[in-house]
Amino acid sequence: QVQLVESGGGLAQAGGSLRLACVASGFSIGGHVMSWYRQAPGKERDLVASIAVLGGGTSYVDSVKGRFIISRDNTKNTVYLQMNSLNPEDTAVYFCHATPTILGFFDVWGQGTQVTVSS
């Protein structure tokens, strides 16, 4: 079964840190651009960060630049999102996504993990 499973969400205080993990099964993330999205209550799902197939290129939405770090370990079939200096505006459900490329064929979403930041 092709799937992505996120973990690591929870409750954090403002200024704190959390590390999210996204483990793939049924396919290899190696040929895919991997991304983290988030969706706050009543809002659309927005892109937070992406990492290129070989891990050399990353991009971030302006609101998380300098605070969040996306990384990937293709040998573990896992993508991470290190979130530092959290603030209440980061509260959302965080989703992992695999985007197909010429090297990979799957378009897969995880089920999401809740991140709540208290002030």
Side-chain angles (χ1 to χ4, degrees):
Q1 183 179 1
V2 173
Q3 63 178 357
L4 295 170
V5 179
E6 301 98 333
S7 63
L11 179 64
Q13 291 188 335
S17 298
L18 285 173
R19 188 191 195 204
L20 306 183
C22 170
V23 181
S25 60
F27 75 105
S28 171
I29 69 169
H32 300 77
V33 172
M34 299 301 298
S35 302
W36 286 95
Y37 287 73
R38 65 185 180 187
Q39 187 168 19
K43 296 188 177 180
E44 294 185 351
R45 188 174 300 186
D46 294 324
L47 178 64
V48 175
S50 292
I51 186 164
V53 169
L54 297 179
T58 60
S59 63
Y60 300 89
V61 66
D62 285 347
S63 60
V64 307
K65 283 182 181 177
R67 300 189 299 123
F68 289 12
I69 301 172
I70 187 171
S71 62
R72 64 192 295 161
D73 186 338
N74 290 344
T75 65
K76 295 182 179 179
N77 231 16
T78 302
V79 181
Y80 303 96
L81 186 67
Q82 177 67 44
M83 305 187 296
N84 302 318
S85 301
L86 287 163
N87 59 61
E89 290 70 37
D90 296 318
T91 295
V93 178
Y94 284 72
F95 297 89
C96 181
H97 180 248
T99 303
T101 70
I102 59 171
L103 301 176
F105 312 110
F106 296 96
D107 186 339
V108 186
W109 286 95
Q111 84 290 346
T113 185
Q114 176 70 47
V115 171
T116 303
V117 184
S118 62
S119 58

